[in-house]
Amino acid sequence: MSVYDTLKSLHIELPPVAVPAAAYVPFVQSGNLVYLSGHIAKKDGKVWAGQLGKDTSTAEGQQAARAVAIDLMGTLHAAVGDLNKIKRIVKVMSLVNSTGDFTEQHLVTNGCSELLGQVFGPQVGAHARSAFGVAQIPLGACVEIELIAEIG
């Protein structure tokens, strides 16, 4: 099944690439690797603000991370032209805006990782990953995620 058939079956429409908010580009390709800049969580087109452990639950953080995954796939599509060219999702790095005593960053990040696995399948979608708790993310977003993919 094509990646786009899977996205359609999940009722996911890929968004266009967001305009960078600072001095960077949304993606860079070097050889067969595509590096995506960090994408912050958005809900209804606005920054999904919040702090895990304070005013945002783990379940809500997972939904925010899932939303970021959709945005990342939109940027990846723009970068390579066809998501079926993706040979492997290599690495995901997640920053979770969280209090000092919040310890479920890995569970929040599952919202992204699980969707990538579902869309790309277990061979292509399985990836290395880091999930960090941080004191703040630009614009108060609850989650920011970057991604590295290999094209074939």
Side-chain angles (χ1 to χ4, degrees), residues 52 91-99 102-110 128-137 141-146:
L52 281 288
K91 172 88 185 222
V92 166
M93 188 184 78
S94 174
L95 305 173
V96 180
N97 181 352
S98 51
T99 60
F102 183 80
T103 61
E104 296 185 338
Q105 291 83 1
H106 62 296
L107 298 177
V108 168
T109 306
N110 280 348
R129 186 179 92 174
S130 301
F132 299 97
V134 297
Q136 195 52 263
I137 293 175
C142 59
V143 179
E144 178 175 357
I145 302 174
E146 64 180 49

Side-chain angles (χ1 to χ4, degrees), residues 20 24 52 61 74 81 84 89 91 105 116 139 144:
Y24 64 92
L52 281 288
N84 293 302
I89 303 297
K91 172 88 185 222
Q105 291 83 1
L116 292 173
L139 307 175
E144 178 175 357

Side-chain angles (χ1 to χ4, degrees), residues 41-140:
K42 294 182 183 172
K43 185 176 186 178
D44 301 324
K46 298 180 179 128
V47 174
W48 195 329
Q51 189 173 45
L52 281 288
K54 180 180 178 187
D55 56 16
T56 304
S57 70
T58 299
E60 188 176 14
Q62 288 173 334
Q63 290 302 308
R66 185 181 190 279
V68 174
I70 293 168
D71 286 346
L72 286 165
M73 287 187 283
T75 300
L76 193 54
H77 169 80
V80 303
D82 180 357
L83 291 177
N84 293 302
K85 292 181 182 178
I86 301 303
K87 184 176 178 182
R88 185 75 189 250
I89 303 297
V90 176
K91 172 88 185 222
V92 166
M93 188 184 78
S94 174
L95 305 173
V96 180
N97 181 352
S98 51
T99 60
D101 60 349
F102 183 80
T103 61
E104 296 185 338
Q105 291 83 1
H106 62 296
L107 298 177
V108 168
T109 306
N110 280 348
C112 175
S113 293
E114 290 171 358
L115 182 60
L116 292 173
Q118 190 174 12
V119 169
F120 289 100
Q123 297 293 73
V124 176
H127 52 270
R129 186 179 92 174
S130 301
F132 299 97
V134 297
Q136 195 52 263
I137 293 175
L139 307 175

